[in-house]
């Protein structure tokens, strides 16, 4: 087989791999995510591709967990974790292989906390949420939990069962705090993060994806977050909002809301990087409507 024909991760040994000789399998055209594994360099070196490579190793009951499970499940995690090692969980008492590019840990896992996605075993969405609690901020953990509810129909009861079953682990307090605040209606990680920043600052809990109607009951808009009682709409402007057509649409919609006496708060990415900016905007709106003293 020619090197150009290799289009997927493969294992290598003393003889070579993927139909290539030992020397050709070690060509600079391939990267080495971990000992005995190769990935064609023209493939994106994402967590998903590196997991495909690690899956070629003997697993002995191991499952992908943490950031790797989140990747398989489509749950949002920070870039720093996406670019980090592949996470594996092995049963308690099983050997924990130490190898570059792989973070392996021993932990107990019951059958209901294990699923298979795209042919790869990983921790369930609820277990993944709990395991990530030790590695994420409250806002980032809420983004994971909201997505688990929305994409995988995880219930509050399921989350509580996993939290209670595991007696002692780093992150338990954080998981217990965040779980009751999750909302399956949140449609983007940034909306989830903004909501948690607001709650963490002691602001009233906002409605998620609030539908706004005029006095005659006619639909006006749906906002990311809002306070219907005080006629405050809170909108997060992500990258898509930078498109000219989207900007015109947003401007028209917000002008309509303001003409119906709604206070529109616009939050951008920089506001989330410096959370007090977002808080200040929301507090100004609440004070304007005399909701805060």
């Amino acid at each position: 087989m020619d090197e150009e024909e290799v289009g997927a991760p493969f294992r290598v040994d003393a003889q070579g791999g993927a139909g290539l000789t030992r020397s050709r399998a070690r060509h600079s055209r391939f990267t080495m995510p971990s000992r005995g594994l190769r990935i064609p360099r023209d493939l994106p070196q994402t967590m998903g591709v590196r997991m495909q490579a690690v899956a070629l190793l003997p697993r002995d009951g191991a499952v992908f967990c943490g950031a790797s499970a989140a990747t398989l499940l489509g749950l949002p995690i920070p870039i720093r974790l996406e670019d980090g090692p592949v996470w594996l969980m092995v049963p308690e008492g099983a050997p924990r292989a130490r190898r570059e590019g792989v973070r392996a840990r021993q932990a107990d896992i019951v059958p209901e906390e294990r699923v298979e996605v795209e042919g790869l075993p990983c921790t369930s969405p609820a277990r993944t949420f709990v395991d990530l609690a030790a590695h994420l901020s409250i806002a980032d953990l809420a983004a994971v939990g909201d997505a688990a509810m929305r994409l995988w129909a995880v219930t509050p009861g399921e989350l509580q069962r996993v939290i209670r079953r595991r007696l002692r682990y780093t992150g338990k307090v954080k998981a217990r705090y965040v779980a009751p605040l999750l909302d399956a209606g949140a449609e983007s990680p940034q909306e989830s993060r903004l909501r948690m920043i607001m709650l963490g600052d002691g602001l009233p809990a906002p409605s998620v994806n609030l539908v706004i109607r005029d006095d005659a009951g006619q639909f006006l808009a749906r906002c990311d977050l809002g306070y219907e009682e005080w006629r405050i709409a809170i909108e997060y402007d992500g990258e898509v909002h930078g498109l000219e057509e989207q900007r015109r649409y947003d401007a028209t919609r917000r002008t309509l809301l303001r003409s119906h006496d709604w206070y529109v708060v616009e939050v951008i990415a920089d506001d989330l990087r410096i959370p007090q900016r977002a808080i200040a905007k929301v507090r100004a709106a609440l004070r304007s409507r005399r909701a805060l003293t």
Side-chain angles (χ1 to χ4, degrees):
M1 179 184 298
D2 190 270
E3 291 174 13
E4 297 300 326
E5 297 178 19
V6 180
F10 61 95
R11 290 184 64 184
V12 295
D13 54 26
Q15 283 70 49
L20 303 176
T21 63
R22 182 179 185 277
S23 62
R24 297 183 72 183
R26 286 159 174 74
H27 191 275
S28 61
R29 180 176 173 270
F30 305 110
T31 64
M32 184 176 71
S34 190
R35 185 178 67 256
L37 299 174
R38 297 291 185 276
I39 297 176
R41 196 174 289 277
D42 56 3
L43 285 182
Q45 308 294 303
T46 60
M47 173 72 80
V49 171
R50 287 181 284 117
M51 288 169 61
Q52 292 175 26
V54 172
L56 299 173
L57 299 170
R59 291 195 293 270
D60 297 325
V63 299
F64 291 106
C65 65
S68 297
T71 298
L72 272 177
L73 296 164
L75 305 179
I77 54 175
I79 292 177
R80 63 180 173 81
L81 295 185
E82 291 179 0
D83 293 340
V86 171
W87 294 23
L88 276 179
M89 181 184 295
V90 300
E92 290 185 326
R96 184 175 60 179
R98 299 183 183 277
R99 55 171 53 242
E100 184 178 357
V102 177
R103 175 185 293 180
R105 56 186 287 254
Q106 292 178 335
D108 66 314
I109 182 168
V110 295
E112 56 266 31
E113 294 173 8
R114 173 187 174 123
V115 297
E116 188 169 291
V117 180
E118 299 178 7
L120 298 178
C122 70
T123 50
S124 69
R127 175 62 187 265
T128 301
F129 166 84
V130 172
D131 287 342
L132 283 170
H135 307 277
L136 298 179
S137 67
I138 285 174
D140 285 340
L141 185 61
V144 168
D146 284 351
M149 285 186 163
R150 182 179 71 253
L151 300 176
W152 295 92
V154 172
T155 65
E158 185 179 355
L159 287 173
Q160 291 301 332
R161 283 194 296 274
V162 178
I163 291 171
R164 287 195 302 266
R165 190 187 71 76
R166 300 192 62 210
L167 298 179
R168 288 183 294 275
Y169 59 93
T170 305
K172 184 169 186 174
V173 172
K174 194 184 301 180
R176 290 176 63 183
Y177 169 75
V178 172
L181 303 176
L182 298 177
D183 194 314
E187 295 180 344
S188 79
Q190 298 297 57
E191 291 171 24
S192 300
R193 294 180 178 113
L194 175 57
R195 187 179 82 253
M196 295 305 296
I197 288 170
M198 291 167 59
L199 294 176
D201 199 71
L203 295 176
S207 297
V208 175
N209 288 313
L210 176 64
V211 173
I212 300 174
R213 301 182 184 278
D214 64 18
D215 294 339
Q218 295 297 309
F219 176 84
L220 292 178
R222 189 181 69 156
C223 62
D224 298 330
L225 302 170
Y227 298 110
E228 186 170 18
E229 177 182 359
W230 301 301
R231 300 174 80 87
I232 297 173
I234 305 168
E235 295 275 78
Y236 174 76
D237 285 352
E239 291 182 4
V240 68
H241 292 269
L243 301 176
E244 182 60 34
E245 184 177 349
Q246 185 66 45
R247 282 203 303 269
R248 288 197 299 269
Y249 172 80
D250 288 341
T252 299
R253 189 166 62 98
R254 290 165 184 174
T255 298
L256 177 65
L257 287 175
R258 288 171 176 134
S259 72
H260 284 79
D261 193 35
W262 278 80
Y263 189 124
V264 181
V265 178
E266 299 173 31
V267 177
I268 61 175
D270 283 346
D271 296 330
L272 292 191
R273 283 190 281 271
I274 306 176
Q276 285 309 312
R277 290 184 182 178
I279 294 300
K281 290 182 176 182
V282 178
R283 282 191 174 277
L286 289 166
R287 289 195 183 99
S288 173
R289 294 306 166 97
R290 301 178 185 271
L292 290 181
T293 58

